[in-house]
């Protein structure tokens, strides 16, 4: 009897030990976090940090601007600032305004976390981001091995050369391209952006 009880106790102990050491598989990494910066000319427009924090650059219009008739207004003379953007996690989650809002997937799609719906019009890989507007026009931004970002299709986004530094792994490249894609996709902006076109006073 005692031997039988001892055998049961040993068997249960072995089962408990096996259960305790069984590991739940971790979610696959979509992003790799690190120090990555995208520049337009000499200005940093997107920054990713090793803790997942991001910064996004824009020009600030702090007060009203009065123009004489025929005078041209340009945002290029406005003060340039970097503001906090989304926080990225290795599993592809983007935390925006304190909430886990969007998740990037390994198949290139984005999912709205609250509704599980796919974000239409944007596909992201480690080499390119493709943005499709509702009217049918598409823009592809391709990240070269040397860090150069090349635009295909659509109106030119910037006359200055665009380059990325620090994106030396597929996960880092996917992370910075996700920031770029969300900032440019219609109706899916993640931070204030600049007025790109110069505007003439009436």
């Amino acid at each position: 009897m005692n031997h039988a009880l001892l055998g049961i106790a040993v068997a249960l102990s072995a089962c408990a030990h096996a259960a305790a050491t069984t590991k739940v598989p971790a979610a696959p990494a979509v992003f790799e976090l690190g120090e990555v910066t995208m520049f337009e000319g000499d200005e940093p427009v997107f920054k990713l940090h090793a803790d997942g924090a991001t910064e996004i650059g824009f020009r600030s219009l702090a007060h009203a601007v009065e123009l004489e008739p025929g005078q041209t207004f340009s945002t290029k003379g406005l003060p340039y600032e970097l503001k906090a953007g989304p926080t990225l996690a290795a599993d592809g989650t983007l935390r925006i305004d304190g909430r886990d809002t969007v998740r990037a997937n390994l198949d290139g799609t984005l999912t709205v976390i609250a509704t599980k719906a796919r974000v239409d019009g944007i596909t992201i890989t480690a080499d390119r981001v493709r943005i499709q507007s509702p009217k049918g026009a598409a823009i592809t931004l391709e990240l070269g091995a040397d860090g150069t970002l090349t635009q295909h299709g659509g109106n030119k986004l910037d006359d200055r050369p665009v380059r990325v530094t620090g994106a030396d792994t597929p996960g880092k490249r996917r992370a910075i391209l996700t920031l770029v894609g969300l900032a440019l996709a219609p109706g899916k902006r993640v931070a204030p952006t600049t007025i790109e076109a110069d505007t003439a006073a009436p």
Side-chain angles (χ1 to χ4, degrees):
M1 181 74 166
N2 288 338
H3 289 294
L5 290 175
L6 179 60
I8 292 171
V10 169
L12 289 174
S13 174
C15 290
H17 179 70
T21 57
T22 301
K23 292 182 179 178
V24 177
V30 177
F31 299 145
E32 183 176 341
L33 306 179
E35 298 299 322
V36 182
T37 304
M38 184 179 121
F39 293 90
E40 288 180 355
D42 294 326
E43 292 178 337
V45 289
F46 293 99
K47 283 190 172 188
L48 168 66
H49 299 292
D51 62 356
T54 67
E55 296 176 86
I56 300 176
F58 71 104
R59 295 194 181 279
S60 174
L61 184 61
H63 52 80
V65 176
E66 294 185 10
L67 299 177
E68 299 295 329
Q71 184 180 0
T72 299
F73 170 76
S74 173
T75 60
K76 294 177 183 177
L78 296 175
Y80 191 78
E81 299 180 28
L82 285 166
K83 277 200 171 182
T87 301
L88 275 58
D91 67 356
T93 301
L94 285 88
R95 191 170 184 82
I96 303 172
D97 295 332
R99 293 183 301 143
D100 291 346
T101 306
V102 180
R103 179 168 290 116
N105 306 305
L106 284 172
D107 65 359
T109 61
L110 295 173
T111 303
V112 179
I113 293 174
T115 64
K116 311 297 184 190
R118 177 176 169 171
V119 178
D120 292 329
I122 182 167
T123 307
I124 301 158
T125 69
D127 299 310
R128 65 184 56 86
V129 53
R130 186 175 190 274
I131 302 161
Q132 179 84 40
S133 77
K135 296 181 179 179
I139 294 175
T140 300
L141 300 173
E142 189 167 2
L143 183 55
D146 63 352
T148 302
L149 198 68
T150 305
Q151 178 181 337
H152 304 283
N155 296 326
K156 196 168 183 182
L157 297 176
D158 202 292
D159 292 328
R160 298 171 294 175
V162 181
R163 72 187 193 282
V164 176
T165 62
D168 51 7
T169 66
K172 291 178 185 177
R173 293 161 70 87
R174 187 188 297 271
I176 197 73
L177 287 174
T178 298
L179 286 176
V180 174
L182 282 175
L184 295 177
K188 303 173 183 68
R189 300 193 182 279
V190 294
T193 56
T194 61
I195 303 168
E196 295 296 339
D198 293 344
T199 306

